[in-house]
């Protein structure tokens, strides 16, 4: 069988949220093939398929969605994370 997953992470370096980073990692059969990092601001491919996907996604609407996730997902939920 095949195994595919997307792992979304928010990395906080301080409570003031200045150094917050959003990362989406796309994994197929335990190997990461493409990643979006809000600090880099684009998708980066790590395999032949990942490079092709990154090129296409960086030109399409997928990039705009990912760019908004830092505010929508990470910074919005940070008070919940810090209260736990």
């Amino acid at each position: 069988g095949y195994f595919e997953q997307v792992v979304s992470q928010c990395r906080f370096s301080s409570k003031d949220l200045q150094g917050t980073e959003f990362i989406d990692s796309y994994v197929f059969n335990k190997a990461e093939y493409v990643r979006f990092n809000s600090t880099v601001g684009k998708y980066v491919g790590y395999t032949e398929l990942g490079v092709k996907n990154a090129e296409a996604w960086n030109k399409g609407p997928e990039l705009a969605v990912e760019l908004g996730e830092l505010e929508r997902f990470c910074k919005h939920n940070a008070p919940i994370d810090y209260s736990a």
Side-chain angles (χ1 to χ4, degrees):
Y2 298 101
F3 177 76
E4 184 164 13
Q5 69 178 359
V6 178
V7 178
S8 298
Q9 302 175 52
C10 295
R11 295 184 180 174
F12 304 100
S13 59
S14 66
K15 281 193 171 188
D16 67 5
L17 305 181
Q18 291 299 321
T20 305
E21 182 178 41
F22 174 74
I23 299 170
D24 254 353
S25 299
Y26 295 79
V27 179
F28 181 74
N29 282 351
K30 299 182 183 180
E32 183 177 27
Y33 65 95
V34 68
R35 174 186 291 185
F36 173 83
N37 183 316
S38 64
T39 304
V40 176
K42 66 179 185 176
Y43 290 95
V44 176
Y46 298 109
T47 65
E48 185 177 342
L49 175 62
V51 170
K52 289 179 183 180
N53 285 339
E55 289 173 358
W57 295 348
N58 284 328
K59 295 176 185 172
E62 295 87 356
L63 183 60
V65 171
E66 291 284 17
L67 290 170
E69 291 299 283
L70 178 64
E71 292 293 328
R72 188 196 70 79
F73 181 67
C74 294
K75 291 185 178 180
H76 175 76
N77 291 311
I80 297 167
D81 295 335
Y82 278 116
S83 69

